[in-house]
Amino acid sequence: MSTYTITELAREFDITARAIRFYEDQGLLSPSREGAGGRNRVYTPRDRTRLKLTLRGKRLGLSLAEIKSLVDMYETPKDSVAQMHRFLTVLAQHRETLEQQREDIEMSLAEIQAHEDECKRMLAAQTQTGVSSAIGT
């Protein structure tokens, strides 16, 4: 069975060793220890897969607790239907959050546009007034 060092995983996934240690502290990874005093972390293909799934979950915007819950379900293949239902629930919740954020952003952008239009209108009016005053004197 092939194994990986923290440096190899960090390089492969373009993340820092510190990030990997953080995921380990969160219980997402559990490398074995080798060398003097157990200083060297040794990651298995299972750890690599869990890291890959963790990073995918982060890209989707899931919390670490949600990711851990989902990744832990993959440890028991017999629960694949339950896994899919749980994953669909998490995705639906996340979609709802993102859609609300999108609506909030669209409202903010509309407000900004209205303020920009008003400022441009006021500047145009002042420019016209200034030109009229300069010509009249």
Side-chain angles (χ1 to χ4, degrees), residues 33-50:
R33 301 290 187 131
E34 290 182 354
R39 291 178 44 107
N40 299 328
R41 290 171 168 85
V42 178
Y43 296 91
T44 63
R46 173 188 173 271
D47 291 312
R48 183 187 171 281
T49 299
R50 289 177 66 91

Side-chain angles (χ1 to χ4, degrees), residues 9-27:
L9 290 178
R11 189 175 302 125
E12 178 180 353
F13 292 105
D14 195 26
I15 59 174
T16 64
R18 183 176 179 181
I20 294 173
R21 287 190 297 272
F22 175 75
Y23 294 141
E24 185 180 328
D25 291 342
Q26 299 302 306

Side-chain angles (χ1 to χ4, degrees), residues 105-116:
I105 289 169
E106 287 172 358
M107 286 175 47
S108 293
L109 288 171
E111 288 178 25
I112 289 170
Q113 185 66 53
H115 289 299
E116 286 176 338

Side-chain angles (χ1 to χ4, degrees), residues 21-123:
R21 287 190 297 272
F22 175 75
Y23 294 141
E24 185 180 328
D25 291 342
Q26 299 302 306
L28 290 159
L29 306 173
S30 54
S32 60
R33 301 290 187 131
E34 290 182 354
R39 291 178 44 107
N40 299 328
R41 290 171 168 85
V42 178
Y43 296 91
T44 63
R46 173 188 173 271
D47 291 312
R48 183 187 171 281
T49 299
R50 289 177 66 91
L51 179 58
K52 184 176 183 176
L53 292 171
T54 297
L55 296 174
R56 186 176 296 157
K58 290 301 291 176
R59 280 194 304 276
L60 287 172
L62 302 177
S63 71
L64 286 180
E66 291 169 324
I67 293 168
K68 184 170 179 356
S69 172
L70 292 169
V71 170
D72 285 347
M73 283 192 289
Y74 281 97
E75 297 296 313
T76 54
K78 65 181 181 288
D79 293 335
S80 62
V81 171
Q83 291 168 6
M84 291 298 136
H85 283 294
R86 173 72 181 125
F87 190 49
L88 285 172
T89 299
V90 168
L91 288 176
Q93 291 168 345
H94 191 60
R95 175 186 295 280
E96 185 177 316
T97 299
L98 289 174
E99 286 174 351
Q100 182 61 55
Q101 289 174 344
R102 179 173 49 193
E103 185 178 315
D104 293 344
I105 289 169
E106 287 172 358
M107 286 175 47
S108 293
L109 288 171
E111 288 178 25
I112 289 170
Q113 185 66 53
H115 289 299
E116 286 176 338
D117 292 346
E118 180 64 15
C119 285
K120 289 175 184 176
R121 187 194 61 74
M122 291 171 66
L123 281 171

